[in-house]
Amino acid sequence: MKQILWFRRDLRASDNAILANGKDEVLPIFIFDTNILATLPANDKRVSFIYKSILNLKKELQNIGLDLVIFFGVPKDIFIQLQNDFDEVLCSCDFDSYAISRDKEIEQIIPMRRFYDSYLVHPDETLKLDGTPYKVFTPFYKNLQIIWESVHIKEYSPNQNLKLVNYDYATYPTLEQLGFTQTLQPHFLKKSPLELIENLKEKLEDYKEDRDFFYKDGTSNLSVFLRFGIISPKQIFNLIRNFDGADFFIRELFWREFYNTILYHFPKSEFENFNQKNILWENDEKKFQAWCDGKTGVPIIDASMQHLNSTGTMPNRLRMVVASFLCKNLLCDWRLGERYFALKLLDYDTSSNVGSWQWGASTGADSVPYFRVFNPYLQSAKFDKEAIFIKSVLKEFQNTPPKELHKENKNAIVNTKISSKQAIALFKNCSD
Ligand SMILES: Cc1cc2nc3c(=O)[nH]c(=O)nc-3n(C[C@H](O)[C@H](O)[C@H](O)COP(=O)(O)OP(=O)(O)OC[C@H]3O[C@@H](n4cnc5c(N)ncnc54)[C@H](O)[C@@H]3O)c2cc1C
């Protein structure tokens, strides 16, 4: 038996299903997919990070007697080139629309076996008693009691008897040959996921409270590592399960599971309103651009968006606030914001991003009711009282008293009170 082990959302050697299920002779590969890379700017922060992670994976595999071939091209062409020498491809599941259509093509060329190790549970195992999927988070989460009450979930171990197929493992493209440049990474990406988990253990007791105070760094910063599978959710679960405060953190991990389940069972929700409501968005281009550039005149919105543009990150509460502002105050379609986040977020993940945007726009599964609109000034007054975060990004406000930054102001492109009333009226009148 000769197998290709195709690493995709699982860039790790531990708790990895394809390394556990591989047999006999294997060719571990990663593909820098030109279909994806061609759409990205040369300074895309994610590509730098993935490149570094691929080289780490190569080292991890070498440590267990294996190696990694790094391809640069169109996956279909690469598998056409390899098909005659191999029996099958093993890989992890991927449910976004591009991945589904890419895999359909590959399956025509060579048999594929997919494994589900990027999440804690398979969406087919989370159904209600009547066999239909949950559409609301809390019952979904409670239904998985057996898992979240476990002390340890079994992890995969690599098959020790794998032999490497002869291949040129030494030659691989540089980042520059891929058409990309090194970019500055946020400080937490310089740490390993295990170091971040050690830090998290110290933060866990206060996690529930601190996670909303975005200037405090009260969260795990693990989302980028989870996105690319540098650590698995099972490993995180097992490492922190027994610490005080772990339950609330684990609940957050289940939001990731929930949105993945929604995308799996309702693939159209990547592009359509989940609740089928027909909303007449205004989609004013200038307002949308001001939001993207962080030039709306609302300090917390501008600080959040400028921070996203320069770092590729944004804490969860700020994501909720800017999403509500775009959809409910500027009346722009959530899909515009979702696409913009897809360009910028280091942890961009289709299911979590689409699910969260639809939640914020009140069009999604378990959505906020349409009449709930975040007031950005109240949010900053509550969660950034001294304007520490705002001032760290918007240097022009260094000497402005914090209270001034948490007040409706005439320079803003929209009055939040008036616009939120208009949004509530619009949502109330929209048809199903
Ligand atoms: C509009 C919007 C868009 C978002 N887009 C993404 C995205 O593209 N990719 C992404 O990973 N997360 C997304 N999130 C969820 C959340 O903001 C991030 O997961 C979180 O900020 C990452 O920081 P952390 O790892 O320190 O989180 P922690 O608070 O430490 O949480 C631990 C892990 O739980 C998961 N998680 C936490 N909150 C959520 C949530 N609300 N939904 C889904 N998973 C969650 C993440 O995997 C996270 O790494 C989005 C949220 C909003 C409101």
Side-chain angles (χ1 to χ4, degrees), residues 207 211 219-223 226 249 252-253 255-256 259 314-316 319-320 323 341 345 347-349 352-353 356-357:
Y207 172 81
R211 63 190 293 268
T219 63
S220 70
N221 294 312
L222 281 165
S223 56
L226 272 166
F249 176 79
E252 293 309 305
L253 282 183
W255 272 102
R256 180 173 176 272
Y259 285 137
M314 193 190 288
N316 184 60
R319 296 186 202 200
M320 295 197 291
F341 269 27
L345 276 179
D347 66 11
Y348 170 67
D349 185 54
S352 291
N353 201 47
S356 302
W357 269 96

